[in-house]
Structures are given as structure tokens and as C-alpha cells.
Amino acid sequence: MNDRSRELKPFVPAPDDDMIICRCEEITKGEIRKAVHDGMFTLTEIRRYLRTGMGLCQGQTCTKLVKGIVARELGVKPSELGSATGRAPMRPIEMKILANDGGGKK
Amino acid sequence: MNADVIIVGGGIIGCAAAYNLAKDGVSVIVLEGSANIGNGGSVRNGGGVRQSGRDPRELPLIMYAIKNIWPNLSDLLDTNVEYHQQGNLRLGHSEKNKQILEGLTERAVKCDLDVRMITGDEAREINPYLSDAVTCASWCPTDGHANPLTATMGYYKAARRLGAHFISDEKIVELRKIKGRVCQAVSASGNIYEGSKIILAAGYESRYIASTVGVDIPMQPVLLETLVTEAVSPMFWQMLGTADADFYGHQTDHGSFVFGLNCGLEPYAKPGKPVSSSIASSAACRGIMRYFPSLEDIKVIRCWAGWMDSCADHVPVISPVEEAKGLILACGFSGHGFGISPAVGLVLSQMAQDKETVLDMHELRYDRFRP
Ligand SMILES: Cc1cc2nc3c(=O)[nH]c(=O)nc-3n(C[C@H](O)[C@H](O)[C@H](O)COP(=O)(O)OP(=O)(O)OC[C@H]3O[C@@H](n4cnc5c(N)ncnc54)[C@H](O)[C@@H]3O)c2cc1C
């Protein structure tokens, strides 16, 4: 059970809040911290709300960084936060190639 | 724990109901079974906010939402829900397609919806990226699309700010009556939540939960799949669909295209966790390229799947239950509950407060299934 109304420490702006964490989607540290205070308590919720890790690299660069920021804001260990889901196709693939799976001949 | 209203299910329907109740000063607890708020169809859908093609029984809800709520929703929720109202093109390539589109158009016009048949050339004037394969289309200028992720999380955020109490990882397994009224929801971990009204908005799982107080709604889980592409410069803002229903989609603010897929195997998907099949995305890419050849080089970056709660007559049940007083059902959305969700949230909050609803809801009652 995860109570979303539990008190967090107040949000205090930090000098490095405008540092870009997710390079593909250009999401800053401050945006991630604010999202936690707006109730986004899991990595999946942060992704869905901000698009972190949803870009071309699919979070290969930023996932660990985002996890650290969210954990600190919530006052938990990073290992207590689950991971976000990987999705097919694991590498970006052109429509014309994906379409060429041998179907559509009828 | 107690509140005036207990909501089971933290999808966009549960979150929108919570927002409307909290705004009226009603105390509310929302119980989400999974680890993430909005983990079902609400964050997996294609973002269509469409009136065209909808059943006349559902049409008043979507027309109300489009007229009165969607245009201001970003401000209300302090979240950009990326709503665009630039029309819906439903595309056809054959005489048979044309008949399908004409049938849908005729039905919608009878309900006072501004939708009309246009030729392939007229469609290409609206969307110059369309190929010559398109020979006819229906055009509904007041349809549109929005971002389901930010809309769902936005309702959650706004409801939470207004004091709605959300608890995730709290799966409800049973409802209980006291003195003949349904007023308790019991979780798998044994916690009991009590309120004078219980709104059941847990997608397909609502069927099992309602059965614990003897109520049954005929619905089945059916898989739906979606893909998203890399971001490219803006090309067009219309929502798209096809007479064959093999894909639908739009370009987002972000520049990516989101396409919903339909390859025909969806009703036979493996039960359990919703997973994309790969077969469906390949088939959809062929369909998309036929109408939009210039998208052939665009890269697909993610595919995902979700369950819809498909009701026997393809429209939802949004209704208090007479035999189980206190219980309000909101399920069976049949793959089009996102567009109507702002109106459904409002109506549910009115039902839970025993107020007259802003729309007549009798067509969506729970006891309509009498063949
Ligand atoms: C791929 C796809 C594409 C779609 N495209 C569109 C579209 O373009 N336009 C449109 O209008 N609609 C679309 N839909 C439909 C739309 O997404 C749904 O109708 C809508 O999101 C329903 O919202 P909901 O809150 O009822 O359900 P959900 O979002 O499924 O929420 C139900 C919640 O209840 C929770 N829950 C389940 N069991 C329990 C339990 N025992 N205890 C507590 N909580 C529980 C779930 O975890 C879930 O978070 C689509 C759906 C899918 C899957």
C-alpha cells in the first residue's frame, strides 16, 4: 500500500534545477523534482507525466539518474523504486522495414 | 479508513470522478490496485476525442465533453493535456468502405452532429499527405485528440491537490453490504474502506468486484495495441481513422505519431499482462503507408498494449444499482472511454451526491441487458 497523501519535505528550488537529465526529451532535474511533489511517486508515473526515458534512447542514459532524483525527493532508497517497462522494438525501426514481415500478401 | 465516497480504480474515470467530487468539497478515497496510478487503458490509449462513429447512446457524453470541458481542461488541471480540435478524417478506399462511412455519417447526422461525406480530393485538401488510394472520407470538424498520459496524470494531480486521498498498491477484492447498503471495499491486504457511496471504475476487473455483491455486467477483456514513432516536424493536426478500422492515429505536440492498431487477432490475445504481438504493428504499418506513403521512413520507437473492457452492446454502464444501494458502476467503456472521461467524471460525481445529472443517463443503465 502506497499512500499518495503522505507528507514529503517541502519543495525547495535548487541551483541545478535547470540541468537536463533526459537528453532525448530535454527534461530537467527541476521538472522531475516538481513532478514528485505533484504526486508522481513511481518511475512509470514520472515517464508518463514527463516523457523521461521515452525518447530515441529509451532511457538507456537517464533511467539511473531519474531514479536517484526521485528516490531522494521521496526519501527512499533507489532500489525501493521499481523499474519502468522496456518496450519493443528495442531499437527504433523504420515503418517500411517493420511492415516487411511477410504478411499482407492476400 | 472512511470517506464520503470510495472510488475503486485509479484510471482516468476514477481520477476524473475524484477531481469533480473533491472540487465540490466531498471527501474521497481512490484505491488503485496496481503500483501506478492510471495503469490500465487510460495511459495506453490512442488519445481520440471523437464524436463521429460513436453510438447514439454515448454521443451526448462526448458532445458535452467537447463543448464544455476539453477546451479548458489544461487550465483546470494545471497540466497540458495537448487537446487539439482540428477534426477527424475517416478514410476509405473502396465502394464498400464508402457504404460503411455513409452509414456512420447518416446515424451521426440524425443526432445533430456536424459530420459529412467528402471525396478523396477534398480529403487531400484537408490533409495533403494523403495518398491517391483514398477515394472517400467522412469529415467531422469538431473531433480531435489529446494526450492520455498527461490527461490521466493531470486529473490525478489536480484531485490530489484538492485533497482527494489516493492509495496505490491496494487491490480491492470484495465489496460488502451493511444493513443492505454497499458501503465497504475490502482490499487483498485486509484493509477496509468505508463510505456512503462506492464508485466502481476498475475496468474489466469491475466485473469480478461487482459480483461480490451479486451484480453482473456482461463484458470481456479485449486487447488493443498502439505504437509511437520518433518525433518529426509538425505535418497535420487532424485525428485519423479508417473505414476498415485497421488503424487510427494522430501526430502529437511532441512531433511523434501515435497509431492505434487493429489486425483482427485482438480478441484472441493471451490472457494476463497485456503485451504487444509484433504481428499487429507490422500489419498496421502496411495500412498506414498505404494512406501516408511519406511516413515509410519514420521510425517506430515503442509499441504497447492494453485491455479494454468490452461490453456486450459496446457502450459503457454508468449507473447507480437499485438492488445494491450505494454502488455506482462505471465500467464497460469498450475502447472509447478516454474522450468521454471528463463528462463521465462530472456525471459520476453528481450521481454520488444524489444530484440530478447534467445529462440523461438512462440509456447507460446496468439493467438494460434484456435480449
Ligand atoms: C490501446 C487502447 C486504445 C484506446 N484508444 C482510445 C481512444 O482513442 N479514444 C478513447 O476515447 N478511448 C480509447 N481507449 C479506451 C480508453 O482508454 C478507456 O475506455 C478508458 O481509459 C477507461 O478508463 P478507466 O479509468 O475506466 O479504466 P482503466 O484506465 O483501465 O482504469 C482502471 C484502473 O483500475 C485498476 N484496478 C483494476 N482492478 C482493480 C482492483 N481489484 N482494485 C483496485 N484497482 C483496480 C487498474 O489497475 C486501472 O488502473 C483505448 C484503450 C486502449 C487499451
Side-chain angles (χ1 to χ4, degrees):
Chain A
M1 152 176 186
N2 189 353
D3 187 335
R4 303 312 183 95
S5 300
R6 68 177 191 261
E7 286 282 323
L8 302 182
K9 285 198 198 115
F11 177 83
V12 187
D16 61 352
D17 272 347
D18 52 10
M19 184 164 70
I20 291 199
I21 300 295
C22 169
R23 290 187 298 194
C24 300
E25 299 296 331
E26 298 181 353
I27 311 293
T28 64
K29 184 172 178 184
E31 288 175 286
I32 297 168
R33 294 179 57 229
K34 276 209 196 81
V36 175
H37 288 267
D38 270 326
M40 313 304 151
F41 281 13
T42 68
L43 288 192
T44 300
E45 289 170 5
I46 295 274
R47 269 191 163 198
R48 289 172 176 166
Y49 181 64
L50 289 178
R51 297 194 61 88
T52 45
M54 300 267 243
L56 278 179
C57 93
Q58 291 287 287
Q60 294 190 42
T61 322
C62 69
T63 298
K64 243 182 138 169
L65 299 170
V66 176
K67 206 174 201 174
I69 296 166
V70 174
R72 195 161 322 125
E73 231 44 52
L74 286 173
V76 302
K77 287 200 215 91
S79 57
E80 286 174 48
L81 294 171
S83 49
T85 314
R87 302 276 188 201
M90 298 316 278
R91 294 247 163 80
I93 174 169
E94 284 90 348
M95 272 204 188
K96 66 176 178 218
I97 296 176
L98 198 51
N100 192 17
D101 72 342
K105 300 269 150 67
K106 272 178 280 166
Chain B
M1 250 191 254
N2 287 36
D4 296 330
V5 179
I6 307 292
I7 299 178
V8 181
I12 195 164
I13 299 295
C15 291
Y19 167 79
N20 281 283
L21 284 163
K23 214 169 61 174
D24 287 351
V26 178
S27 70
V28 38
I29 299 175
V30 182
L31 303 162
E32 165 56 42
S34 77
N36 303 301
I37 299 294
N39 209 30
S42 299
V43 292
R44 298 164 191 272
N45 72 67
V49 178
R50 296 197 272 193
Q51 308 153 101
S52 55
R54 290 288 94 94
D55 188 291
R57 291 169 294 171
E58 194 179 307
L59 213 48
L61 280 167
I62 186 66
M63 288 172 83
Y64 184 90
I66 286 178
K67 193 153 170 254
N68 301 294
I69 311 179
W70 276 111
N72 309 316
L73 196 57
S74 292
D75 287 341
L76 285 178
L77 304 182
D78 186 25
T79 305
N80 186 0
V81 301
E82 300 174 18
Y83 177 57
H84 286 270
Q85 190 183 24
Q86 309 261 345
N88 182 70
L89 279 169
R90 202 173 296 258
L91 309 166
H93 62 78
S94 65
E95 200 43 46
K96 204 172 131 215
N97 276 180
K98 197 169 164 207
Q99 283 165 12
I100 295 174
L101 296 173
E102 280 170 351
L104 288 172
T105 303
E106 211 173 293
R107 197 174 72 172
V109 167
K110 274 198 204 130
C111 301
D112 292 329
L113 184 66
D114 176 13
V115 50
R116 58 183 184 272
M117 289 299 295
I118 58 174
T119 63
D121 285 339
E122 286 171 317
R124 275 178 290 277
E125 255 169 56
I126 294 169
N127 185 322
Y129 297 93
L130 279 173
S131 75
D132 290 337
V134 176
T135 54
C136 58
S138 69
W139 170 238
C140 177
T142 50
D143 279 353
H145 51 81
N147 181 334
L149 300 126
T150 56
T152 302
M153 301 323 276
Y155 264 121
Y156 159 59
K157 173 174 104 178
R160 186 174 168 274
R161 279 187 187 165
L162 289 168
H165 191 161
F166 284 80
I167 300 171
S168 60
D169 268 325
E170 190 68 323
K171 187 176 168 178
I172 296 306
V173 292
E174 191 190 344
L175 301 180
R176 279 191 199 148
K177 287 186 184 176
I178 293 180
K179 294 189 183 145
R181 284 187 68 91
V182 180
C183 57
Q184 289 187 337
V186 186
S187 75
S189 49
N191 296 324
I192 296 176
Y193 299 88
E194 191 165 325
S196 61
K197 294 280 163 47
I198 295 190
I199 297 176
L200 184 52
Y204 172 68
E205 312 298 320
S206 306
R207 184 165 193 175
Y208 165 75
I209 299 168
S211 77
T212 63
V213 287
V215 177
D216 189 42
I217 299 301
M219 53 178 175
Q220 288 297 332
V222 174
L223 194 81
L224 292 173
E225 295 194 44
T226 313
L227 65 79
V228 64
T229 71
E230 64 185 321
V232 294
S233 310
M235 289 166 66
F236 54 85
W237 295 116
Q238 302 95 39
M239 185 74 193
L240 307 164
T242 69
D244 288 332
D246 52 345
F247 75 88
Y248 60 91
H250 67 276
Q251 187 173 21
T252 68
D253 273 11
H254 165 262
S256 52
F257 283 88
V258 172
F259 284 113
L261 328 174
N262 186 4
C263 75
L265 295 174
E266 288 77 7
Y268 310 99
K270 272 185 244 162
K273 202 174 154 183
V275 279
S276 6
S277 67
S278 85
I279 293 172
S281 35
S282 293
C285 285
R286 287 191 288 276
I288 296 163
M289 281 159 38
R290 171 183 200 174
Y291 287 152
F292 294 96
S294 56
L295 291 183
E296 67 170 20
D297 290 318
I298 198 169
K299 292 188 178 96
V300 173
I301 60 170
R302 293 167 74 84
C303 302
W304 65 91
W307 295 110
M308 70 158 159
D309 40 356
S310 177
C311 201
D313 59 358
H314 311 295
V315 289
V317 172
I318 302 168
S319 171
V321 181
E322 263 152 45
E323 299 81 352
K325 283 217 170 18
L327 175 63
I328 298 168
L329 294 172
C331 57
F333 286 93
S334 305
H336 25 90
F338 172 67
I340 59 176
S341 60
V344 176
L346 174 63
V347 163
L348 285 172
S349 96
Q350 292 167 333
M351 286 176 172
Q353 297 177 72
D354 294 317
K355 290 183 181 163
E356 197 182 327
T357 51
V358 66
L359 295 166
D360 175 6
M361 298 297 291
H362 82 275
E363 298 259 40
L364 302 178
R365 279 175 61 92
Y366 69 105
D367 55 0
R368 65 176 188 259
F369 305 97
R370 291 189 185 119

